[in-house]
Amino acid sequence: MIPVAEQREPADFDHKVRQKGLAHLRQKGIQLDQPLPPNASINPYWRACLTDLHQAYGGVCAYLGVFIERVTGGCSVDHFIAKSSDAGLSYEWHNYRLACSIMNSRKREYSDVLDPFCLARDLFRLQLSTGHIYPNPELEARPMRLVEETIERLGLDDAPCRDLRALWYQEYLEYQLSADFLKRKSPFVWSEAHRQGLL
């Protein structure tokens, strides 16, 4: 994971998502400052801004740090503070993180994942040849634990995630890809290669 700069909400977001969503919650009698009632379902108006979210964040998954091809249907809106925890944030742009579907499904409603918008630099390290992700060994105990919990919760160090990161670096070397291309497609791999003086 790398820090993600929060982007301004689109001009039409209020009309397209927020106002429709808030009206929907009021119609269902759902309190905005409360968790969603158990088993409550609400309309996913946030899907209307998925293209905007993809464009605003360069198509990069906030958690995995790789570009998501929009045509695959693999990108989704993650509610960083879960809808089940705070109904009023269900239709708020600042609560959305662009996420690939698998990261979104792993994060779910859990609150033990570090927020990419508030992430300090140099928390995560990457072994480029294998794709292995691990905490910066110089971290103090508390941030070390938070990084470890995030890696575990999201499965960031499972075999498919490792393989994907290693593949990006191997292809960068083998096909002599530009550093700018690597940065657009796999910014976490790029940032670690840059930090390690390998670009």
Side-chain angles (χ1 to χ4, degrees), residues 24-25 28 30 36 40-46 83 87 90-91:
H24 173 64
L25 293 176
K28 297 193 78 164
I30 295 173
L36 280 178
S41 62
I42 58 175
N43 284 344
Y45 292 117
W46 53 84
K83 302 182 293 294
S90 298
Y91 304 105

Side-chain angles (χ1 to χ4, degrees), residues 14-33:
D14 187 65
H15 168 73
K16 190 164 58 175
V17 179
R18 181 183 293 113
Q19 294 306 321
K20 289 181 180 180
L22 294 178
H24 173 64
L25 293 176
R26 286 193 294 269
Q27 184 181 28
K28 297 193 78 164
I30 295 173
Q31 299 297 313
L32 299 184
D33 60 349

Side-chain angles (χ1 to χ4, degrees), residues 46-108:
W46 53 84
R47 291 179 184 165
C49 76
L50 187 52
T51 296
D52 293 327
L53 198 67
H54 190 270
Q55 291 174 349
Y57 291 100
V60 174
C61 174
Y63 303 109
L64 193 53
V66 295
F67 183 82
I68 312 164
E69 296 290 351
R70 185 77 170 92
V71 70
T72 66
C75 66
S76 64
V77 178
D78 170 59
H79 293 74
F80 186 75
I81 298 175
K83 302 182 293 294
S84 59
S85 299
D86 191 328
L89 294 178
S90 298
Y91 304 105
E92 290 297 333
W93 173 265
H94 69 83
N95 191 39
Y96 298 163
R97 309 291 180 269
L98 180 68
C100 63
S101 298
I102 193 166
M103 289 296 116
N104 200 344
S105 68
R106 290 176 179 179
K107 179 178 169 291
R108 298 171 55 194

